[in-house]
Amino acid sequence: MKALRYTALTVVAFFFLLPFYLVLRNGLALESEITAADWTWWPSEIHWENFAELFNDPAVPLLRSMLNSLVVAVLQTVGQLLLCSLAGYGLARIPYRFSNVVLYLVVATLMIPAAVTFVPSFVVVSTLGWISDLRGLVIPGLFSGFTAFLFRQYFLTFPRELEEAARIDGLGHWGTFWRIVVPNSRGFFAALGVISFVTSWNQFLWPLVIAQDQDSWTVQVALSTFLTAQSLNLHELFLAAAVSITPLVVVFVALQRFLVRGVTETGIKG
Amino acid sequence: MTRTFWLFVGPFFLGLLVFVYVPIGWSVLLSFFDARNTVTPTTFMGFDNYADMLTDGPFLESLGTFSVFAAFVVPLTFVLALALALLVNGIRFMQAFFRSVFFLPFACSYVVASLVWKLSLFNGVRYGLANTVLGWFGADPIAWTVTPPWYWLVLVTLRLWLQLGFYMILFIAGLQRIPHHLYEAAWIDGARPWQALRHITLPQLRTTSVAVLLLLLIAAYQAFDEFYNVLGSGPFGRPPLVYLYYTSLGSGGQDFGHGSAGAVILSLLIAGVTLVQGRVFTR
């Protein structure tokens, strides 16, 4: 019974790792070997010089697009955590006559996923003149009703005694939030932050719509352009894909605990 | 208190108005007008744009494409993710390893997966891996991504690979919340493993299952990346967002009137599904 279980798991694991292996195999081989009639599981020789070829190819703005992706993902993660946690705390803890109305307006946006409204969002961003602009890539994604709602639900369960102790020490809401609530919620912030970073790095539709000039491409847009135009050597394309997932594999290995928590927080309560 | 409240909520709420509510409002407005290559309304059209979209073949076809896709992807992901969760949750040795392996594709983008599926795994020429395997059995190569119904195999396996780990994590979290004494009581009563699964595990996973189904359906509804990258601008296999993209932002011409009408219809559909599902399952 146990042997059967492990056999099943191993077979599935093989298929799950296969695509990663294909990326590396194709990225480090020569064109002739990738397209050879006879399948080889590993190139006869590993062509490390493919890296130099990829990074020196003036037609492939890989480093530039990775930098764009990094800037967008970092700004979006930090901005979203900041704005949504403040809003979530205000909605959870600060008494205000119309607080319920505001909450309803936030919750109402949960019913319509942002991707469905990319046409109207594009209309607004183009009116603002933010096409092919960092602002257009980052700012519209900051105001996630979903994240604000998750923060509100989380802060509702924050131990009130801690906040009351801070109040007795003379801290206002603002001081309590920054000195007591945030430092005691690091795990939750990390969980949502990691999810936000991964989502932002991997998002495709919005950057495709906004980043029209090559200088503003994110790495996903760059890869997709070469994939759909088939204008690049296979080994360069696969090596670029390998390079593009490296930052996330690092995040995955280093922060998997938070990633798993983030998935459960965002998945179940959604 | 009013000032403090807005100090916290104000910046976010302002952004929500500008980047969520204004676009939706503007879109509803544009949907009643003719707006080609411009984002300002020109001629009032009444409900013509809506009528066009709802009688227009391609838009309805895109909803059909979504339905076929969802009919495969939603149940398959659900069952396989649950199976993986049960398998992984039931072992001790190497549990973390297997869990990480199945979750690892979550770090991968749909664009990268499309690249692997289109140019390596399901490459239509002889050196593609799937065709190589077919060749071992003496079968002819198949042009996977341009031949119906084979392209469905490409798209469905791609999405399974990318999202199974995510839902497996959700199911594992659900499994770990089931109180252990329920199983102990069942063992004492002489229940067999499949009876425990049927009468304890599945009912206890009800909340998780509902959440997973809703998430899967919404995710399938928003499918864009793999269709765009694997199928390109081909004539078939255009789900709603891909169709909307080509109508309003593709090289064919920027028709924001019809695009907005389409966006409004899609939003209403998905809001309706969310509401109904929420009603039905939270009772």
Side-chain angles (χ1 to χ4, degrees):
Chain A
M1 194 58 205
K2 206 157 217 170
L4 203 66
R5 217 176 248 268
Y6 277 99
T7 314
L9 284 168
T10 309
V11 171
V12 181
F14 167 80
F15 283 107
F16 268 72
L17 292 174
L18 185 66
F20 290 105
Y21 149 78
L22 287 173
V23 170
L24 283 178
R25 169 196 182 262
N26 294 346
L28 296 171
L30 287 182
E31 213 67 3
S32 56
E33 258 175 318
I34 303 176
T35 56
D38 288 322
W39 180 265
T40 43
W41 281 103
W42 198 247
S44 53
E45 194 186 334
I46 295 180
H47 293 272
W48 297 110
E49 74 275 11
N50 287 3
F51 276 104
E53 186 190 345
L54 174 67
F55 287 117
N56 293 326
D57 189 339
V60 190
L62 184 64
L63 285 180
R64 176 68 203 253
S65 66
M66 297 242 321
L67 188 67
N68 286 341
S69 284
L70 188 69
V71 171
V72 170
V74 168
L75 289 180
Q76 219 153 42
T77 304
V78 174
Q80 208 183 75
L81 286 182
L82 179 72
L83 289 162
C84 298
S85 67
L86 282 172
Y89 189 75
L91 287 167
R93 282 288 194 257
I94 301 173
Y96 170 55
R97 200 148 45 111
F98 299 112
S99 152
N100 264 339
V101 179
V102 175
L103 181 63
Y104 278 127
L105 285 169
V106 173
V107 171
T109 66
L110 302 187
M111 286 192 300
I112 302 172
V116 176
T117 57
F118 76 92
V119 178
S121 300
F122 171 83
V123 169
V124 166
V125 168
S126 88
T127 311
L128 291 167
W130 289 356
I131 301 299
S132 293
D133 190 305
L134 191 62
R135 287 170 296 181
L137 284 169
V138 174
I139 295 176
L142 295 180
F143 308 97
S144 159
F146 183 52
T147 309
F149 181 69
L150 287 178
F151 269 113
R152 173 189 177 265
Q153 300 304 88
Y154 168 79
F155 288 135
L156 283 177
T157 65
F158 193 86
R160 265 187 191 275
E161 309 82 66
L162 282 177
E163 289 166 275
E164 274 155 17
R167 208 64 56 71
I168 291 164
D169 291 346
L171 287 175
H173 281 292
W174 190 254
T176 309
F177 179 74
W178 287 110
R179 299 233 203 125
I180 307 296
V181 177
V182 174
N184 284 297
S185 308
R186 270 184 242 140
F188 191 79
F189 274 82
L192 292 201
V194 173
I195 292 286
S196 170
F197 185 86
V198 172
T199 313
S200 180
W201 182 274
N202 283 338
Q203 69 171 340
F204 175 62
L205 175 55
W206 185 247
L208 176 74
V209 168
I210 297 301
Q212 300 184 347
D213 293 346
Q214 186 172 319
D215 282 346
S216 61
W217 283 355
T218 64
V219 71
Q220 309 301 340
V221 177
L223 284 175
S224 165
T225 307
F226 293 117
L227 166 65
T228 45
Q230 306 233 350
S231 57
L232 203 61
N233 293 327
L234 281 172
H235 64 263
E236 257 185 288
L237 198 46
F238 278 97
L239 196 59
V243 173
S244 83
I245 55 178
T246 321
L248 286 200
V249 172
V250 171
V251 166
F252 190 90
V253 172
L255 303 172
Q256 196 183 151
R257 193 160 57 88
F258 295 112
L259 203 56
V260 168
R261 182 173 169 195
V263 167
T264 21
E265 297 280 1
T266 55
I268 294 298
K269 291 170 188 163
Chain B
M1 273 306 171
T2 305
R3 273 190 53 193
T4 320
F5 179 85
W6 286 114
L7 179 68
F8 277 90
V9 182
F12 170 82
F13 193 64
L14 194 69
L16 196 74
L17 290 181
V18 174
F19 293 104
V20 179
Y21 278 99
V22 168
I24 292 174
W26 199 329
S27 182
V28 171
L29 186 74
L30 276 181
S31 69
F32 293 108
F33 284 84
D34 191 39
R36 284 171 207 271
N37 301 313
T38 168
V39 295
T40 41
T42 41
T43 326
F44 184 71
M45 303 290 284
F47 280 95
D48 284 5
N49 288 335
Y50 287 93
D52 288 349
M53 292 303 266
L54 290 173
T55 52
D56 168 28
F59 183 70
L60 295 179
E61 261 170 47
S62 79
L63 291 175
T65 303
F66 153 72
S67 309
V68 175
F69 187 55
F72 282 105
V73 136
V74 173
L76 272 176
T77 312
F78 186 90
V79 170
L80 293 176
L82 180 58
L84 278 185
L86 288 169
L87 277 174
V88 170
N89 202 46
I91 60 169
R92 269 164 200 263
F93 177 64
M94 302 238 298
Q95 187 190 44
F97 168 78
F98 282 115
R99 199 189 59 175
S100 299
V101 167
F102 300 145
F103 188 40
L104 190 57
F106 183 67
C108 206
S109 72
Y110 275 91
V111 181
V112 170
S114 302
L115 199 146
V116 178
W117 258 247
K118 184 182 184 180
L119 297 182
S120 193
L121 262 181
F122 288 101
N123 198 329
V125 289
R126 210 166 271 280
Y127 62 77
L129 185 55
N131 281 338
T132 302
V133 173
L134 281 185
W136 293 340
F137 296 100
D140 286 330
I142 294 173
W144 301 95
T145 56
V146 291
T147 324
W150 293 113
Y151 68 85
W152 285 117
L153 182 71
V154 180
L155 296 165
V156 170
T157 51
L158 189 159
R159 185 163 278 242
L160 281 177
W161 180 71
L162 265 180
Q163 69 179 12
L164 268 177
F166 180 91
Y167 294 101
M168 175 198 72
I169 297 283
L170 290 187
F171 275 126
I172 290 179
L175 286 173
Q176 286 171 352
R177 275 195 299 266
I178 302 178
H180 207 264
H181 64 82
L182 290 180
Y183 290 107
E184 280 158 11
W187 301 143
I188 292 168
D189 292 345
R192 304 200 159 270
W194 66 267
Q195 285 174 320
L197 178 73
R198 165 92 175 67
H199 294 289
I200 299 174
T201 311
L202 294 183
Q204 289 284 322
L205 281 179
R206 187 182 154 86
T207 322
T208 311
S209 305
V210 173
V212 166
L213 277 180
L214 186 62
L215 287 172
L216 278 172
L217 202 62
I218 293 176
Y221 194 68
Q222 297 181 74
F224 176 87
D225 301 9
E226 73 266 48
F227 284 86
Y228 178 90
N229 285 300
V230 171
L231 302 181
S233 53
F236 49 74
R238 282 189 178 185
L241 290 197
V242 176
Y243 174 70
L244 216 54
Y245 175 80
Y246 283 114
T247 310
S248 41
L249 297 162
S251 46
Q254 307 200 316
D255 187 345
F256 291 109
H258 284 99
S260 297
V264 170
I265 296 170
L266 293 179
S267 306
L268 287 177
L269 275 175
I270 200 151
V273 169
T274 315
L275 277 180
V276 168
Q277 194 149 6
R279 276 282 150 71
V280 171
F281 288 104
T282 50
R283 273 185 314 178

